[in-house]
Amino acid sequence: MVPIVSIIIPVYNKASYIRETLQSALGQAYPNTEIILVDDGSSDGSFEILQEYFEKYPEKILLIDQENQGVSAATNNGIQAAKGEYIQFLDADDLLSPYKIANQIKLLEGQPESVLATCEWRMFKNDPKQSYSIPYGVFQDFGSGLDLLLRFWNNQEMMQPAVYLTHRKLIDKAGPWDETLTINQDGEFFARVLGNADKVCYEPIGKVFYRTPGETNVSQQKSEKATKSLLDSYRCYERELLKFEDSERVRIALKKVYQKFIYDVFPHYPHLIKEAEACIKKLGISQKTYIMGPKFQKLSRIFGFKNALRIKRWLPPRSPLRGK
């Protein structure tokens, strides 16, 4: 029997993009999908667009209308309503290539439920044909989900959450999205998923197209509330992943996570920086660790991490790189 794949799309005020996203979900070559749309109290006409598609494809689409509760609550409601053996998460402004799900289902045939699939993600602004890739080392197989997490943390890399195709039982084992977080909800959730994953299979053909966030989104992510939530999500990493493996390699990687937090926040919110420093001390890793690019690492080796941050603050900004 061909397994059902549930494509869960939480939507909040994405009227400008949701049609394109829905077309990419409806255009999947894999035949046995359901699309679960969860409108999180949109006020920009998004719900009316979702209703239009629901009426046009009632056999394919389930529409849930809820008061604004946040992306985690919307996603959890989508998971609860899903009938699929596999779950595909998709943000309301991102896109899937047509064979993404089909290729990953084929890759997972015969694999246990604890194995999940990934693919490449590419960034774009308006036209996915003009997308570009980030030269990360995550686009490969990994012997375990924890190995992929350590790659993230040791090298300051990431996966866009839509790259994953995950068995429902693996998601149930990880638990729901954390509704107390306001940022990095997906990173915290997939840290738990990957902690439970025995293997990660990379599918090289399928693609996820990740729309670059607008200025409003970026500014919201820099608020004190969001910054505290980010640190809370990193504490969740530590709490959950040390359950799977309390080892020096995991603690070193977690130390780098907290260093990256300080790197991103400095010199703002000194009380949160002090909390992150306390988390580093508690990890008990005396080994020197270095993050970011070669130039900053060189400064850190010569002057120390905090002094390198101070020097970086006063250096003239570099020309921005694509995708950075």
Side-chain angles (χ1 to χ4, degrees):
M1 184 176 177
V2 180
I4 299 172
V5 175
S6 299
I7 305 174
I8 299 174
I9 308 176
V11 183
Y12 177 69
N13 288 350
K14 295 292 184 181
S16 299
Y17 307 118
I18 188 59
R19 289 182 187 276
E20 193 176 5
T21 298
L22 283 172
Q23 288 303 131
S24 85
L26 289 165
Q28 288 299 296
Y30 187 75
N32 204 11
T33 62
E34 64 169 4
I35 300 171
I36 300 177
L37 304 175
V38 186
D39 186 81
D40 188 36
S42 295
S43 58
D44 69 339
S46 292
F47 180 75
E48 287 72 20
I49 296 172
L50 301 182
Q51 204 164 29
E52 172 192 328
Y53 274 82
F54 168 66
E55 291 172 0
K56 190 174 182 179
Y57 303 98
E59 76 292 344
K60 195 80 169 175
I61 292 176
L62 173 65
L63 177 57
I64 299 172
D65 182 19
Q66 66 176 43
E67 293 183 2
N68 182 252
Q69 301 174 53
V71 65
S72 293
T75 304
N76 285 334
N77 286 337
I79 293 171
Q80 290 176 6
K83 298 177 183 176
E85 188 176 336
Y86 289 91
I87 302 293
Q88 166 72 61
F89 297 109
L90 182 60
D91 287 347
D93 53 359
D94 296 335
L95 309 173
L96 305 176
S97 66
Y99 285 88
K100 191 271 185 188
I101 291 176
N103 289 355
Q104 288 183 321
I105 283 289
K106 187 175 181 180
L107 187 66
L108 292 173
E109 283 180 2
Q111 296 282 359
E113 297 157 354
S114 57
V115 176
L116 78 166
T118 63
C119 67
E120 182 186 5
W121 60 274
R122 299 174 64 88
M123 298 189 77
F124 78 106
K125 187 172 183 180
N126 296 311
D127 184 358
K129 293 179 181 178
Q130 297 179 1
S131 66
Y132 53 93
S133 62
I134 308 295
Y136 284 168
V138 295
F139 303 128
Q140 59 177 304
D141 294 341
F142 285 87
S144 70
L146 181 57
D147 288 340
L148 176 53
L149 281 173
L150 295 181
R151 175 75 203 192
F152 292 160
W153 299 345
N154 283 320
N155 298 277
Q156 294 80 61
E157 297 181 355
M158 61 164 281
M159 279 291 202
Q160 207 280 344
V163 305
Y164 301 105
L165 187 66
T166 313
H167 199 282
R168 173 63 181 263
K169 289 186 178 179
L170 185 55
I171 285 176
D172 289 343
K173 193 173 183 182
W177 287 51
D178 189 336
E179 296 181 18
T180 68
L181 298 176
T182 59
I183 192 171
N184 197 36
Q185 305 97 322
D186 52 355
E188 190 278 331
F189 172 75
F190 272 104
R192 286 182 275 122
V193 171
L194 289 168
N196 283 283
D198 290 331
K199 189 167 66 171
V200 178
C201 295
Y202 176 71
E203 200 291 301
I205 306 300
K207 300 286 184 289
V208 169
F209 298 98
Y210 174 45
R211 196 181 300 269
T212 55
E215 291 182 7
T216 303
N217 288 355
V218 173
S219 64
Q220 289 174 348
Q221 292 169 7
K222 293 180 180 179
S223 70
E224 182 175 0
K225 180 181 178 182
T227 303
K228 183 183 182 304
S229 184
L230 183 63
L231 182 57
D232 288 342
S233 76
Y234 293 162
R235 289 188 177 113
C236 292
Y237 287 177
E238 179 183 348
R239 182 185 67 243
E240 295 298 324
L241 271 298
L242 289 178
K243 294 177 185 177
F244 294 104
E245 181 182 310
D246 189 348
S247 65
E248 185 177 47
R249 71 168 188 156
V250 172
R251 287 176 177 264
I252 286 173
L254 287 166
K255 180 180 177 181
K256 291 183 179 181
V257 170
Y258 289 123
Q259 283 183 300
K260 179 62 163 57
F261 173 84
I262 295 169
Y263 178 95
D264 289 337
V265 172
F266 185 88
H268 307 291
Y269 313 124
H271 61 295
L272 295 178
I273 290 175
K274 285 183 179 179
E275 288 185 28
E277 290 172 337
C279 292
I280 290 174
K281 185 176 181 180
K282 187 180 175 183
L283 286 170
I285 297 297
S286 57
Q287 176 183 324
K288 297 287 186 183
T289 54
Y290 303 96
I291 65 168
M292 307 311 293
K295 289 183 179 179
F296 185 77
Q297 289 193 24
K298 185 176 181 180
L299 285 174
S300 297
R301 286 186 169 92
I302 296 171
F303 300 106
F305 178 61
K306 291 294 284 291
N307 285 330
L309 286 173
R310 294 184 181 99
I311 293 168
K312 177 182 176 292
R313 183 187 176 195
W314 294 110
L315 286 176
R318 296 186 303 167
S319 297
L321 297 174
R322 288 182 85 186
K324 297 293 184 181

